Amino acid sequence: QVQLVESGGGLVQAGGSLRLSCAASGSISSIDAMGWYRQAPGKQREMVARISSGGSTNYEDSVKGRFTISRDNAKNTVILQMSSLKPEDTAVYYCNVVASRLGFPYKYEYWGQGTQVTVSS
C-alpha cells in the first residue's frame, strides 16, 4: 500500500503564509505526478497545483503568483508554500500522488486524508 501523510494546515490571517507538506511511504516503486487539491464547503474539489516527475508545474489561476509547489524525490515529499492567503483559500487541502507499487505494473492515484486551511479576514 501507499500512505500519504499531510501536515501544515491551520488558521492564518489574510495576507499570511502557510506551508503544507505531504510525505508518501509504503511499497512504492515510482512516483509520477504529485499535487494538491482543495475542497471548500459546498464546492467541488479542485486542483490547486501539480508537479510532474520532471519538475514541470501547473497552477489553478487564482493561486498563480501566490502558491509554489515543489517536491523532494529522495524523500517522496511534495510541498505547497502558500503566501498572500485570502479568505477564499479556505478549504480542506488534499495531497494527491500518482504512483506505482512494487510488484505491480500499473500506476494508481492516492489521496491524503486532508488538512484544513482557514484564512480569516
Side-chain angles (χ1 to χ4, degrees), residues 11 23 30 32-33 35 44 46 49 52 56 62-63 66 73 105 120-121:
L11 173 65
S30 65
D32 194 346
Q44 289 189 332
E46 63 176 0
S52 72
S56 298
S62 70
V63 308
R66 300 188 297 120
N73 292 327
S120 63
S121 57

Side-chain angles (χ1 to χ4, degrees), residues 43-106:
K43 295 187 177 181
Q44 289 189 332
R45 189 174 297 189
E46 63 176 0
M47 188 275 290
V48 177
R50 287 182 68 79
I51 183 168
S52 72
S53 57
S56 298
T57 58
N58 62 297
Y59 296 91
E60 194 270 328
D61 285 346
S62 70
V63 308
K64 287 179 180 177
R66 300 188 297 120
F67 291 9
T68 301
I69 190 170
S70 61
R71 63 190 285 170
D72 183 336
N73 292 327
K75 297 181 179 180
N76 291 340
T77 299
V78 60
I79 303 293
L80 185 68
Q81 180 66 48
M82 305 184 292
S83 59
S84 301
L85 283 160
K86 304 175 181 180
E88 50 264 44
D89 294 319
T90 295
V92 178
Y93 284 70
Y94 296 91
C95 176
N96 174 272
V97 167
V98 178
S100 59
R101 294 169 54 191
L102 292 171
F104 292 81
Y106 304 109

Side-chain angles (χ1 to χ4, degrees), residues 3-7 21-25 34 75-78 95 97:
Q3 296 83 37
L4 302 181
V5 177
E6 302 159 344
S7 61
S21 177
C22 173
S25 64
M34 306 180 83
K75 297 181 179 180
N76 291 340
T77 299
V78 60
C95 176
V97 167

